[in-house]
């Protein structure tokens, strides 16, 4: 397996020249566009990693999967999905124009910023408790108490987050967001700034693949029904406005973030973390897509694949 992962990195590393590191949050600009890494964990506890896998990066939008889990546990499906839809969208992640259309009564899904900010607001507790719940969940899933948020990235997000601010105030105006807008945004900026490495990310993948349960059974974050919803939402909405094509070409439920991380889940089998900060025009790791596509083919991981019959 290690050899295979090494080969896939070698094969796909040329792609980084066609990508760009995110620069709309100034602190993200310092990432090395040449970095590529992957970690894969299986249900027997085996870990296979290759490339740049122990460098820390911020989780960014991948945090939206964890906040959705917590909001669903705290409020139940009916309440959460009365405020945010379950439909994919071809809008970019930070789009806000639809929020001002009178026909639209809720954001399309919890993976675009408008939906994710509502989801964060629905986690029970004041803003400090909300963030602590998110951080605690990630620490328990990864069994890594050293995980924290990166203060510089958080400050940078906060300083330049006017688009998210505009989204949140519109949501408040539409009655979709409860509580203090600035406090909810503060939690959102912090959750995006949580820093981890690929081993941690693969552990989150394995936790989801195992129905929101750590392998040792020490932490059960949600029930199997919620785990299924999380994986379905990743499949339909996890790769920005490339989610449909990603599903068709790779077929592995995944969620990416603008710092170049991709969290991938092969239900009942593997948790996978991929890192490559050079992004394509949709905001997904450009080499990460290539690696996952090849890995899916090599190991037959496409969940939509039909088996040949005689
Ligand atoms: N902090 C980012 C934002 O909301 C998250 C973006 C992402 O990873 O999609 O702008």
């Amino acid at each position: 397996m290690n050899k295979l992962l090494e080969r896939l990195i070698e094969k796909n590393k040329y792609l980084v020249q066609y990508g760009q590191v995110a620069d709309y949050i100034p602190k993200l600009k310092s990432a090395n566009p040449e970095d590529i890494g992957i970690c894969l964990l299986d249900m027997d506890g085996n870990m296979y990693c290759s490339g740049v896998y122990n460098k820390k990066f911020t989780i960014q939008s991948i945090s939206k999967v964890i906040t959705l889990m917590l909001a669903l546990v705290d409020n139940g499906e009916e309440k959460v999905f009365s405020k945010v839809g379950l439909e994919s969208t071809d809008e970019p992640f930070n789009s806000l124009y639809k929020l001002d259309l009178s026909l639209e009564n809720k954001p399309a899904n919890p993976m675009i910023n408008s939906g994710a900010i509502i989801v964060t607001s629905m986690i029970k507790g004041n803003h400090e408790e909300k963030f602590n719940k998110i951080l605690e969940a990630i620490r328990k899933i990864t069994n890594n108490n050293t995980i924290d948020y990166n203060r510089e990235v958080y400050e940078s997000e906060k300083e330049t987050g006017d688009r998210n601010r505009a989204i949140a105030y519109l949501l408040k105006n539409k009655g979709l967001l409860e509580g203090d807008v600035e406090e909810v945004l503060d939690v959102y900026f912090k959750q995006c700034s949580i820093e981890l490495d690929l081993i941690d990310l693969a552990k989150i993948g394995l936790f989801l693949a195992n129905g929101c349960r750590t392998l040792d059974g020490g932490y059960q974050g949600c029930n199997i029904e919620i785990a299924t919803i999380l994986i379905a939402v990743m499949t339909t909405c996890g790769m920005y406005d490339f989610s449909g094509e990603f599903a068709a070409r790779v077929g592995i439920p995944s969620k990416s973030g603008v710092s170049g991380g991709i969290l991938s889940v092969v239900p009942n089998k593997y948790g996978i973390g991929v890192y490559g900060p050079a992004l394509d025009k949709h905001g997904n790791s450009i080499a990460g897509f290539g690696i996952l596509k090849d890995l899916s083919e090599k190991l037959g991981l496409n969940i939509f694949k039909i088996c040949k019959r005689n």
Side-chain angles (χ1 to χ4, degrees):
M1 183 71 87
N2 279 325
K3 281 262 162 300
L4 171 66
L5 299 183
E6 263 165 47
R7 273 207 308 278
L8 297 187
I9 287 181
E10 273 309 302
K11 174 170 177 248
N12 285 286
K13 71 178 185 202
Y14 78 98
L15 286 170
V16 300
Q17 66 188 302
Y18 304 113
Q20 265 180 349
V21 168
D23 58 5
Y24 76 103
I25 300 171
K27 197 55 206 156
L28 295 183
K29 265 194 275 188
S30 50
N32 179 356
E34 313 257 303
D35 283 349
I36 316 178
I38 179 165
C39 265
L40 179 148
L41 297 181
D42 70 18
M43 287 289 177
D44 297 322
N46 298 308
M47 180 171 85
Y48 308 95
C49 296
S50 187
V52 179
Y53 65 86
N54 48 18
K55 209 180 222 184
K56 282 183 185 291
F57 56 92
T58 53
I59 190 169
Q60 296 295 334
S61 272
I62 298 171
S63 63
K64 293 169 181 173
V65 179
I66 305 299
T67 50
L68 181 59
M69 175 184 88
L70 295 170
L72 284 168
V73 169
D74 280 356
N75 302 275
E77 278 177 52
E78 205 181 324
K79 183 147 184 223
V80 172
F81 295 122
S82 70
K83 295 193 172 202
V84 53
L86 264 172
E87 298 307 328
S88 58
T89 173
D90 57 0
E91 287 172 73
F93 71 101
N94 57 3
S95 166
L96 53 77
Y97 81 97
K98 275 199 179 160
L99 289 178
D100 202 26
L101 302 178
S102 51
L103 279 178
E104 293 292 324
N105 58 356
K106 57 185 180 185
N109 67 65
M111 298 291 119
I112 51 174
N113 287 10
S114 48
I117 292 170
I118 295 176
V119 164
T120 292
S121 78
M122 294 185 85
I123 298 171
K124 296 253 190 281
N126 65 31
H127 72 291
E128 273 168 25
E129 289 161 348
K130 282 188 211 296
F131 178 68
N132 285 340
K133 276 165 94 165
I134 301 167
L135 186 61
E136 262 318 292
I138 293 178
R139 286 179 172 175
K140 283 188 186 143
I141 294 169
T142 55
N143 194 20
N144 182 354
N145 275 328
T146 68
I147 291 181
D148 208 342
Y149 69 101
N150 179 315
R151 267 70 179 170
E152 281 180 302
V153 173
Y154 158 69
E155 291 298 341
S156 195
E157 298 249 0
K158 202 172 164 136
E159 256 169 49
T160 56
D162 290 332
R163 213 178 160 82
N164 286 323
R165 222 162 260 125
I167 289 174
Y169 278 100
L170 262 173
L171 292 171
K172 175 88 181 177
N173 174 260
K174 284 183 88 104
L176 290 168
L177 192 141
E178 282 165 33
D180 183 275
V181 176
E182 291 299 331
E183 284 184 358
V184 172
L185 282 167
D186 197 62
V187 180
Y188 177 77
F189 294 138
K190 270 190 191 149
Q191 77 181 57
C192 289
S193 311
I194 291 175
E195 215 175 25
L196 37 61
D197 67 17
L198 279 184
I199 298 177
D200 299 316
L201 197 60
K203 283 186 188 164
I204 299 177
L206 195 68
F207 165 82
L208 293 164
N210 194 33
C212 278
R213 218 172 115 97
T214 51
L215 265 198
D216 63 5
Y219 176 63
Q220 173 93 47
C222 66
N223 59 32
I224 302 266
E225 287 73 24
I226 293 180
T228 304
I229 292 176
L230 299 178
I231 294 170
V233 171
M234 289 170 71
T235 310
T236 53
C237 320
M239 301 299 285
Y240 305 115
D241 45 346
F242 188 69
S243 300
E245 187 160 346
F246 189 88
R249 302 204 185 284
V250 179
I252 303 178
S254 298
K255 176 75 199 96
S256 66
V258 290
S259 56
I262 305 179
L263 163 71
S264 296
V265 179
V266 183
N268 307 303
K269 279 197 184 138
Y270 300 120
I272 305 168
V274 180
Y275 176 62
L279 308 179
D280 64 17
K281 64 176 195 280
H282 305 278
N284 298 311
S285 169
I286 196 160
F289 167 58
I291 290 171
L292 284 166
K293 186 167 168 289
D294 288 342
L295 187 72
S296 178
E297 272 164 23
K298 289 270 179 234
L299 300 182
L301 303 181
N302 187 329
I303 62 168
F304 303 110
K305 196 158 186 116
I306 309 290
C307 301
K308 281 205 180 114
R309 293 200 201 108
N310 294 325

